Each structure stands twice: as structure tokens, then as C-alpha cells.
Amino acid sequence: MKKVLAIIRASTERQETESQKKELTEYLSQYGFSKESIITLEVAGASARKKNPKYLQMLEDIKNTILTNKDIKAVGLWNLDRLGRVDDSLIEMKNWFINQKIQLYCKSPSLTLLNEDDTVNGGAEIAFGVFASLIKQQTEDLFNKFNRGKDRNRQQGRFNGGKMKFGYTVDKDGYFIINPEEKQVLDTIYKEYSTGKYSYVKLANELDSRGITKRGHKITALALHKLLKDLSYIGKGEYSKFPPIIDESLFNKVKN
């Protein structure tokens, strides 16, 4: 029985993977493939734009799966960008499929790579190249737009995701606001260090003896070094706009 390798590249969200698998199964059934004849290759976390190790491994897994299973005569894609977002990788895989006489069924854009006699469909090959270039451009435009949005959020003092800076939380609209409990910790750190009585190590031990922590974790000398130099706490951070927590005169006293 002829089989088809269904390639599903998605984020780590299981729901997205299952949705993509369902649509691809329905699409491949139009070419006579039953569920039993569909071999699924699922990959999560593979960046086709940056070509990270997971993505490069995905390409190797595609080749190895086909080479070790002689019943696989075709590859199915829900969208061409599932195979890659960089044109050179897409063209490389297209040529590999042609050399191995592996048919490619792609739902979007709609194309099949080979004719019934396994010769190359000239129109499909040209279309493949055009869409590969288009995908690359669309990807660059998308990430440029994404980065512009992140820059705008930083300038406006909005959270971009990731780890929240100590001392802050966000309001319902995603703007940074001061976390009152963590502000007390920072106030204590800055005021105690400004007395000149403590080194980083001694202050870390003093805070530990008082049960003062950073979100439940012991505040180390290295953590103090970073906290006491962070310009964000006076509203002058380099990357994001934060409301000031520490008075600038106190910050400068600590610095001196």
C-alpha cells in the first residue's frame, strides 16, 4: 500500500497540532489516502526562519523516514511554509523530492510537484519557486511588523512577554506598574547598601537573616550587583520604559 508522509510543524500548542493534522488528513483523502496510509511526522519548536537545530533535524527526519520506508511515495503539507520559511531550504527539499521521485501534495498554495509518470510538473516547479520567495518575503514582513510592535511597547512601557522584571507587575492593559511588595524589598536593599556598612556578600547575608527574598528565592551577592545598577528603577532603562521605584538621589548615592 502506498503511503504518504504528512508533515506537521507547529508551535508547542497541542491544539494547533491536532487542528493541522485533521485538515491535512481530510486534504490527503482527496488523493485516495486513508488514515491507515498516512504516516505523520510532528515537530514542535522548529524555527524555519532561523533554521534552529530542531528545524534542521526535521529535514533530516523527513529524508530518513522516506529512505527507510519504501512504501512512502508522497509528502503532504497543509501549507508550504510548514516545510520551511527560507527559500533555499524549500528549494533544497523540492530538489530532493524530485530526485527521489517523491510526490508533493500541498494544500496552500494548491500544487502537486510530479506528473503521474513521476516526471516533474514544470508549472508546479515554477510555482514552487515563486511561492518559496513569497513565503520568505511574507515572513520577513511579519517579523519586522512584530519587532516594530515590540519596540512600540517598550517605548510605551508595556509588557512584551517573558520574565517580569522584579519590582513590577502590569495593569489590565499590559502597562508596567509598581509591585508594592517588591518595591519594599528594593527600598530596603538600596537604603541599607547606601549606608556603606555592607558589601554585596554581607548585605546578602543580612537580607537572608531577615527573611527578605526575591520572589521566594535568596537574594545573592550577584543578584544585588544587578539590582543596584539597574537604571530601570529610576525610569532610565535602556530597553523599556518603567515607572521609577527608587529616588534618583538614592540611586546615585548607592552608585558612588
Side-chain angles (χ1 to χ4, degrees):
M1 175 174 53
K2 288 185 179 182
K3 296 184 178 181
V4 59
L5 180 64
I7 300 169
I8 299 174
R9 182 177 65 81
S11 69
T12 54
E13 295 181 16
R14 190 68 198 168
Q15 185 177 358
E16 181 187 352
T17 300
E18 291 301 321
S19 174
Q20 197 177 134
K21 184 190 295 185
K22 182 176 181 294
E23 286 197 37
L24 189 51
T25 299
E26 292 174 354
Y27 168 68
L28 291 173
S29 68
Q30 300 173 19
Y31 295 95
F33 292 103
S34 63
K35 288 184 178 181
E36 293 72 25
S37 63
I38 298 175
I39 298 174
T40 303
L41 178 63
E42 297 181 26
V43 183
S47 173
R49 177 174 177 263
K50 296 181 180 180
K51 296 200 285 189
N52 66 0
K54 282 190 176 182
Y55 174 71
L56 296 176
Q57 185 60 53
M58 181 191 84
L59 299 185
E60 289 304 309
D61 288 344
I62 291 171
K63 295 175 182 179
N64 291 334
T65 303
I66 292 172
L67 291 174
T68 55
N69 191 330
K70 299 301 181 182
D71 289 332
I72 297 177
K73 302 298 182 183
V75 165
L77 294 170
W78 173 66
N79 191 297
L80 191 58
D81 64 13
R82 300 302 84 191
L83 186 60
R85 286 186 174 273
V86 181
D87 51 356
D88 60 349
S89 295
L90 285 167
I91 298 301
E92 175 192 342
M93 290 306 296
K94 178 209 68 175
N95 292 335
W96 191 87
F97 292 146
I98 291 173
N99 291 335
Q100 298 297 321
K101 298 188 183 305
I102 297 296
Q103 178 63 282
L104 172 67
Y105 297 108
C106 182
K107 182 180 179 182
S108 178
S110 179
L111 60 84
T112 54
L113 187 58
L114 305 178
N115 298 314
E116 290 185 4
D117 61 356
D118 289 338
T119 58
V120 181
N121 184 313
E125 186 176 21
I126 292 172
F128 190 104
V130 171
F131 281 108
S133 297
L134 183 60
I135 287 170
K136 179 184 178 182
Q137 186 59 52
Q138 288 175 336
T139 301
E140 292 302 319
D141 290 345
L142 177 66
F143 275 85
N144 288 337
K145 181 179 179 181
F146 175 73
N147 288 330
R148 286 196 298 272
K150 289 183 70 174
D151 288 340
R152 186 166 57 251
N153 283 343
R154 282 194 286 266
Q155 293 168 7
Q156 295 176 349
R158 297 185 72 180
F159 186 46
N160 264 324
K163 186 176 181 180
M164 179 65 65
K165 180 180 286 292
F166 185 73
Y168 298 96
T169 183
V170 293
D171 63 16
K172 62 182 180 63
D173 296 314
Y175 288 94
F176 290 113
I177 56 175
I178 295 171
N179 181 315
E181 293 181 359
E182 294 180 0
K183 179 183 185 303
Q184 289 182 2
V185 174
L186 288 167
D187 283 340
T188 299
I189 289 172
Y190 271 82
K191 287 174 182 176
E192 292 294 349
Y193 191 79
S194 70
T195 64
K197 296 188 300 181
Y198 299 99
S199 65
Y200 289 143
V201 173
K202 287 183 178 180
L203 182 54
N205 291 334
E206 175 65 19
L207 295 171
D208 188 41
S209 70
R210 298 187 198 178
I212 298 174
T213 66
K214 182 183 176 186
R215 295 175 183 165
H217 298 283
K218 180 180 177 179
I219 302 174
T220 64
L222 179 60
L224 287 173
H225 177 69
K226 293 179 179 179
L227 292 171
L228 290 167
K229 291 177 62 178
D230 196 331
L231 290 168
S232 299
Y233 294 135
I234 56 172
K236 295 183 178 181
E238 181 180 357
Y239 298 107
S240 292
K241 182 180 179 181
F242 290 94
I245 290 178
I246 301 300
D247 183 80
E248 190 166 350
S249 61
L250 176 59
F251 186 91
N252 289 331
K253 187 176 181 181
V254 164
K255 180 181 177 181
N256 292 332

